[in-house]
Amino acid sequence: MTPTEVRKLISLAEHGKTRDIAIFARACCKLDVLQTQIEALRADKHRHGLSRGGDLNALARWQRWAESEIDKLQSHHQEAISEKETARLVAVRSAAKVQALEILLKKALKEEILIKRRRAEQNGQPPDA
């Protein structure tokens, strides 16, 4: 493979890496948002549970609703954790592809230099002419 071909592949791999890292970042943000929502709802539930006044039936209904919402959010949170891990693995693989192509580029450049030197020697010119 020539250095030019490898450079083209590196460019494509970089685009893929950028895309995959952006997907991973979105998954991290989604996870953070869900965690914040869960914590806020728990804090509201705790705060409402401490209030002494008001309708006890309404408070009990609200607490049941809050508990069901927390359960729903925790379910989404677990899904987001698995999505984040999947996105992380894809991003790591993309970064590894870029690194592998960069190693191939170094090898291709060395090979190209050796080929030019051999041709120069065959033509009776100094090796680095």
Side-chain angles (χ1 to χ4, degrees):
M1 213 177 246
T2 67
T4 305
E5 293 170 335
V6 176
R7 283 187 186 104
K8 287 178 186 177
L9 289 176
I10 287 175
S11 175
L12 291 173
E14 281 288 343
H15 288 297
K17 177 181 147 186
T18 302
R19 179 201 61 222
D20 294 339
I21 289 174
I23 291 170
F24 176 67
R26 280 195 303 272
C28 290
C29 288
K30 180 180 177 182
L31 195 58
D32 290 343
V33 166
L34 286 169
Q35 186 63 38
T36 302
Q37 289 174 340
I38 290 169
E39 290 170 3
L41 199 50
R42 281 186 178 152
D44 285 349
K45 185 178 170 220
H46 181 69
R47 192 170 37 251
H48 280 57
L50 294 177
S51 64
R52 302 263 192 281
D55 184 11
L56 291 179
N57 286 330
L59 179 62
R61 282 193 307 270
W62 185 87
Q63 285 185 338
R64 278 194 304 272
W65 172 83
E67 214 30 69
S68 70
E69 284 298 308
I70 289 172
D71 289 344
K72 247 190 276 185
L73 288 171
Q74 284 178 331
S75 173
H76 292 307
H77 188 263
Q78 290 302 320
E79 291 171 10
I81 287 173
S82 66
E83 289 172 10
K84 176 187 168 190
E85 183 60 22
T86 302
R88 185 189 69 80
L89 292 173
V90 171
V92 166
R93 194 173 303 121
S94 292
K97 286 178 186 177
V98 171
Q99 287 179 336
L101 286 169
E102 288 172 349
I103 290 169
L104 282 176
L105 178 62
K106 287 179 185 178
K107 288 181 180 179
L109 289 171
K110 285 180 184 179
E111 184 65 30
E112 186 177 60
I113 289 171
L114 288 174
I115 289 171
K116 285 181 180 179
R117 286 181 180 168
R118 285 185 196 132
R119 285 184 187 151
E121 285 179 13
Q122 287 173 352
N123 293 330
Q125 299 174 352
D128 291 323

